[in-house]
Amino acid sequence: RLFDLDPDLLPLFQYNCKQFASPQECLSAPEFLDHVRKVMLVIDAAVSHLENLPCLEEYLCNLGKKHQAIGVKVESFSTVGESLLYMLEKCLGAAFSPDMREAWTKLYGAVVKAMRRGWEPLAEGD
């Protein structure tokens, strides 16, 4: 669903300088599937550290810096979040209650907030 929501994200997924001709080609590439696993590991870490999300701040900030370096725009995380919620809703069906949607939205928002720090210029003296 990611590329349906924002086709302009496709060029960001170039592995070994390979450009995908279509979203389907990208979605089936082993490198993209590996990237999806990595995203889910970040989500898993956030869930596992729900009671202490600040312990992930530095890691997530550095992850944000890496994303900025390859040209990802902060606004793209909204599209990723929308895709995540869509996937959860499709997988969980009726079990994906409004309260669950709100909880996932808050968790994802906290992850993105920490990653956004990677886009902030360093304060003088840092």
Side-chain angles (χ1 to χ4, degrees):
R1 170 113 199 218
L2 181 67
F3 300 124
D4 290 340
L5 295 173
D6 190 351
D8 292 336
L9 292 177
L10 185 62
L12 292 174
F13 295 95
Q14 297 178 24
Y15 304 100
N16 301 321
C17 298
K18 178 181 180 181
Q19 293 194 10
F20 297 105
S22 69
Q24 293 73 24
E25 184 182 355
C26 180
L27 293 170
S28 63
E31 299 91 348
F32 183 80
L33 297 174
D34 187 51
H35 186 88
V36 170
R37 282 188 216 62
K38 290 176 183 177
V39 170
M40 295 315 295
L41 286 172
V42 171
I43 298 294
D44 182 61
V47 170
S48 297
H49 294 87
L50 198 54
E51 300 299 320
N52 187 19
L53 282 177
C55 76
L56 297 175
E57 287 279 330
E58 185 176 348
Y59 168 75
L60 293 171
C61 179
N62 288 331
L63 192 57
K65 287 177 185 176
K66 288 179 183 179
H67 280 77
Q68 181 196 35
I70 62 166
V72 175
K73 305 287 184 230
V74 171
E75 301 78 31
S76 298
F77 288 108
S78 295
T79 306
V80 173
E82 192 174 331
S83 295
L84 174 66
L85 292 173
Y86 177 82
M87 183 267 313
L88 289 166
E89 184 176 7
K90 289 298 174 194
C91 291
L92 298 173
F96 192 63
S97 67
D99 287 344
M100 190 180 291
R101 173 182 282 279
E102 182 180 350
W104 276 104
T105 300
K106 285 181 180 178
L107 176 69
Y108 183 74
V111 168
V112 170
K113 182 178 178 183
M115 288 181 69
R116 285 178 72 123
R117 287 187 38 236
W119 272 259
E120 295 173 6
L122 289 176
E124 195 136 335
D126 283 351

